[in-house]
Amino acid sequence: MNTKDMYINLGIAPEIYDYGEKILEGLKARFEEIDLTAEYNQCKVITAMQQNRVNATHFAATTGYGYNDFGRDTLEKVYADCFHTEAALVRPQIACGTHALAIALSANLLPGDELLSPVGGPYDTLEEVIGIRNSPGSLKEYGVSYRQVNLNPDGTFDYENIKKAINTKTKLVTIQRSKGYQTRPSFSVKQIGELTSFVKNINPDLICMVDNCYGEFVETIEPSDLGADMVVGSLIKNPGGGLAPIGGYICGSQKCIERCSYRLSAPGLGKEVGANLGLLPSFYQGLFLAPTVVASALKGAVFAASIYENLGFKVVPSSTESRHDIIQAVELKSPAGMVAFCKGIQAAAPVDSYVTPEPWAMPGYDSEVIMAAGAFVQGSSIELSADGPIREPYAVYFQGGLTWYHAKLGILMSLQKMYEEKLIELN
Ligand SMILES: *Cc1c(COP(=O)(O)O)cnc(C)c1O
């Protein structure tokens, strides 16, 4: 059998395969660019590991309190060096990205302080953390107010109104790098750097926090290279490299991270407690693999954008735009399109390929969500996955792919399912 036969054997029609190959011919230069970024970032990670003299003793499991956990402490130094920050908190006790963000916010905002989002609404799950949607334990309940400045219609920052919104109570500015479940563009690190400089010019004491989810290693610099005081994310996205089975990170200034550590464990305990439970090998090795895993995911995103754009769907970003995160939004115009697309991603998975994804009321989200993921780590979205809330404009958010070849199969399979449902016509 040749490679095309292997795809046919997996359920891809010959005309779908050929369509994909035709699209790929136009993507060689993009792929080369992605590989160059991965190469740079691979060097960055190896440098951080060498400088911190990572060795086999750092992979040992600790239990109980986890005092004197050198493996954990060294991993945090490696993260701090990768992100060029003074300190970092990288822990399995941080359950997910939302938890990491909630820690960073609640540790650095006190009653009477105000939080400002100058980039429009935050990610869905943060609405309850902040109290935009009421929730027990929200920042609002603790007397932290919230203000938001929406983006200009063209997706740029509304500097005039951002300036007006900053007042004597404003303490922390939160900037979400990735679009999340919105169809706005994701921001480049350079854009975030400009916004950070702008707000710090108004008040140098403002803390700038970046929700870095899905953005890590997509570019050669991170928001912390351009003035952000904290960058925050999930280990079951980019920096875990697909190997971390749980966890989150916060990298930032000594002052901010120390407060975060007290919020994560308890005042007085801070970073000193928190056993690693044997997870450190996956954290170290996952970080080591992250640059190339992110490159695979980016190739998948560019391939998907190019295919669906060619078929007349709106895609964000477009196939030729520069990339600032691994997410690809495809507006499929109908719930049926979303379901067919997700079925394809699911059917291409190494795990749970035989199940059918269905919309469900997921905690933290205010409309039904459909998710396709056949992942080794449950819910991991650095693994090939697609999801989206069932609401206008019926956009599926596609991301991940531990290998480019798996991402390719997933996209071809999504196309196959759309084709079978007569939702597309090949051109
Ligand atoms: C995924 C994500 C989060 C939340 O992370 P969870 O791990 O799902 O809790 C927050 N912000 C953005 C932009 C994200 O993509």
Side-chain angles (χ1 to χ4, degrees):
M1 275 211 268
N2 61 25
T3 305
K4 182 171 173 175
D5 292 332
M6 296 298 285
Y7 279 99
I8 293 169
N9 202 34
L10 281 161
I12 304 294
E15 59 271 34
I16 296 286
Y17 177 79
D18 292 339
Y19 193 79
E21 293 306 293
K22 189 182 80 183
I23 295 285
L24 269 179
E25 272 170 31
L27 297 177
K28 291 205 171 83
R30 283 313 291 283
F31 279 30
E32 219 166 280
E33 200 186 310
I34 290 167
D35 284 333
L36 285 174
T37 302
E39 191 173 0
Y40 182 99
N41 285 328
Q42 185 72 79
C43 291
K44 181 161 50 170
V45 170
I46 291 173
T47 302
M49 290 189 173
Q50 291 184 352
Q51 280 176 347
N52 288 289
R53 302 175 70 91
V54 172
N55 65 66
T57 67
H58 294 140
F59 305 149
T62 57
T63 56
Y65 292 107
Y67 292 138
N68 302 315
D69 185 333
F70 298 116
R72 176 196 66 204
D73 297 347
T74 302
L75 179 72
E76 290 180 337
K77 287 188 187 136
V78 169
Y79 260 75
D81 285 352
C82 273
F83 287 87
H84 302 126
T85 57
E86 291 170 2
L89 202 54
V90 186
R91 304 275 166 141
Q93 286 81 14
I94 303 178
C96 61
T98 305
H99 187 199
L101 289 157
I103 292 165
L105 291 171
S106 57
N108 288 285
L109 287 159
L110 293 173
D113 289 341
E114 188 160 280
L115 168 66
L116 171 67
S117 173
V119 296
Y123 192 74
D124 287 45
T125 57
L126 286 186
E127 291 184 352
E128 282 164 290
V129 171
I130 296 168
I132 299 169
R133 276 186 286 138
N134 281 328
S135 173
S138 70
L139 290 171
K140 186 179 166 190
E141 224 188 38
Y142 282 91
V144 174
S145 57
Y146 172 71
R147 201 177 283 260
Q148 174 179 319
V149 178
N150 290 332
L151 296 170
N152 290 320
D154 65 353
T156 57
F157 305 129
D158 182 353
Y159 282 118
E160 197 183 314
N161 281 311
I162 293 169
K163 189 171 184 181
K164 278 187 204 153
I166 295 172
N167 59 63
T168 53
K169 288 170 63 185
T170 313
K171 173 78 174 294
L172 194 151
V173 175
T174 178
I175 303 167
Q176 185 180 310
R177 178 170 173 182
S178 168
K179 64 176 90 60
Y181 287 145
Q182 297 170 11
T183 46
R184 71 155 166 91
S186 294
F187 303 125
S188 68
V189 172
K190 186 164 167 276
Q191 280 175 300
I192 293 171
E194 282 161 13
L195 182 55
T196 305
S197 305
F198 179 81
V199 300
K200 283 189 180 269
N201 260 332
I202 297 168
N203 179 357
D205 294 333
L206 289 177
I207 299 168
C208 281
M209 182 193 87
V210 175
D211 174 351
N212 211 23
C213 283
Y214 287 131
E216 301 91 349
F217 300 125
V218 171
E219 300 181 42
T220 54
I221 51 171
E222 300 290 337
S224 41
D225 288 310
L226 297 184
D229 301 286
M230 285 188 285
V231 287
V232 185
S234 164
L235 297 195
I236 65 166
K237 292 179 179 172
N238 305 14
L243 294 186
I246 192 171
Y249 77 88
I250 309 170
C251 295
S253 68
Q254 185 64 41
K255 203 172 151 196
C256 288
I257 297 301
E258 193 176 354
R259 291 196 68 92
C260 291
S261 72
Y262 292 141
R263 179 53 63 224
L264 171 64
S265 59
L269 299 183
K271 283 180 120 178
E272 306 302 317
V273 298
N276 72 56
L277 305 174
L279 295 172
L280 290 180
S282 66
F283 286 8
Y284 279 105
Q285 199 175 352
L287 179 66
F288 173 74
L289 292 177
T292 49
V293 169
V294 168
S296 300
L298 283 170
K299 288 176 185 175
V302 171
F303 184 50
S306 197
I307 282 194
Y308 281 95
E309 194 172 68
N310 227 45
L311 290 167
F313 293 93
K314 186 180 174 204
V315 298
V316 181
S318 76
S319 65
T320 51
E321 267 174 81
S322 63
R323 301 258 147 186
H324 310 305
D325 64 13
I326 64 166
I327 301 185
Q328 181 61 50
V330 183
E331 294 183 14
L332 291 161
K333 301 176 187 172
S334 68
M338 291 182 77
V339 173
F341 186 101
C342 289
K343 274 187 183 168
I345 298 298
Q346 191 74 42
V351 182
D352 294 333
S353 61
Y354 51 87
V355 306
T356 305
E358 300 211 14
W360 67 299
M362 191 177 165
Y365 297 84
D366 73 347
S367 44
E368 280 200 318
V369 175
I370 185 160
M371 294 200 148
F376 295 100
V377 172
Q378 284 175 44
S380 165
S381 46
I382 186 61
E383 297 189 50
L384 188 68
S385 50
D387 48 68
I390 308 280
R391 66 185 183 215
E392 297 271 7
Y394 303 111
V396 155
Y397 298 80
F398 162 89
Q399 66 269 313
L402 297 185
T403 72
W404 149 239
Y405 305 110
H406 178 222
K408 177 179 174 179
L409 173 66
I411 295 149
L412 291 176
M413 195 63 87
S414 76
L415 199 61
Q416 176 72 31
K417 299 291 178 191
M418 299 278 287
Y419 187 59
E420 286 169 11
E421 298 288 326
K422 301 199 167 27
L423 294 162
I424 52 160
E425 269 180 54
L426 298 180
N427 47 24

